[in-house]
Amino acid sequence: SMGGTMGSDNTGAIWGAAYYGHGQNVNRIIEWGTQQQKWDFVGAAYAVRAWDWLTLTNQYGDAILQQAFNTSLSQFLYNPQPDFYDSCRVICFRALNYLNMTGGNMNPTTFAQSDAYFNKGSLDKWKKFVYGILARSYSDLSSKKIYATNDYADSAIKYATLSCSTND
């Protein structure tokens, strides 16, 4: 037997990444990137946030969404899983909007240096990452009885087709 940890987040790595490891850091990238018109950074940050919300809700179901980064609280209200799915998709489309922007103070060399370990500054790969998040989100919804419609399955296929076809 593999024990009781298969498929669990017993060490809290997903929770920790969403709220602590990425949390305020993603908020700062969005804030500073917007002020400095570095749309590539903003788009990538939103992509990470969308991934966080989808991964978090798929592991835990209900979690902290609306009050997630309110540092004045010591207790938080949990939001239901459908709110996370909705938020994830909204953030994905926001990420794509920024990843498609040009101008401002974008510098492909600076972005590539900052993104050395994930997509090496490739906006196309970042977009494919976002499309993959959308595909997973719609696939997750299509498999749940309370959400199951053909629209979700069709959307899952559409975004999977636009996503990564290899792990390069």
Side-chain angles (χ1 to χ4, degrees):
S1 169
M2 298 293 285
T5 60
M6 287 293 294
S8 78
D9 189 31
N10 282 350
T11 62
I14 295 168
W15 190 273
Y19 294 115
Y20 303 106
H22 299 159
Q24 292 290 10
N25 293 312
V26 167
N27 292 344
R28 295 291 183 261
I29 293 168
I30 292 168
E31 177 186 352
W32 295 337
T34 301
Q35 290 170 355
Q36 298 171 20
Q37 297 183 351
K38 293 182 178 181
W39 312 129
D40 40 8
F41 282 89
V42 176
Y46 276 123
V48 170
R49 173 64 41 80
W51 181 88
D52 281 340
W53 283 167
L54 182 64
T55 305
L56 183 79
T57 197
N58 282 342
Q59 182 65 43
Y60 291 102
D62 298 353
I64 305 162
L65 179 63
Q66 292 175 336
Q67 298 176 337
F69 304 111
N70 184 338
T71 58
S72 68
L73 299 176
S74 60
Q75 294 182 336
F76 302 87
L77 297 176
Y78 279 56
N79 298 96
Q81 189 174 47
D83 291 358
F84 276 88
Y85 284 123
D86 291 345
S87 182
C88 170
R89 287 190 310 280
V90 166
I91 293 169
C92 280
F93 292 119
R94 188 174 300 149
L96 290 169
N97 180 57
Y98 280 103
L99 291 168
N100 284 319
M101 291 177 80
T102 58
N105 291 313
M106 291 173 51
N107 180 327
T109 302
T110 302
F111 186 58
Q113 289 170 343
S114 297
D115 183 31
Y117 299 105
F118 193 53
N119 288 318
K120 297 176 182 39
S122 169
L123 294 177
D124 287 337
K125 287 183 180 179
W126 274 102
K127 291 175 199 175
K128 288 180 181 222
F129 175 67
V130 174
Y131 290 134
I133 297 167
L134 283 166
R136 284 183 51 214
S137 167
Y138 284 114
S139 176
D140 293 343
L141 290 172
S142 70
S143 67
K144 294 182 182 292
K145 290 180 184 175
I146 60 172
Y147 303 114
T149 70
N150 288 337
D151 295 332
Y152 289 134
D154 290 347
S155 293
I157 292 166
K158 171 186 173 181
Y159 290 112
T161 302
L162 293 169
S163 186
C164 304
S165 57
T166 71
N167 64 355
D168 291 343

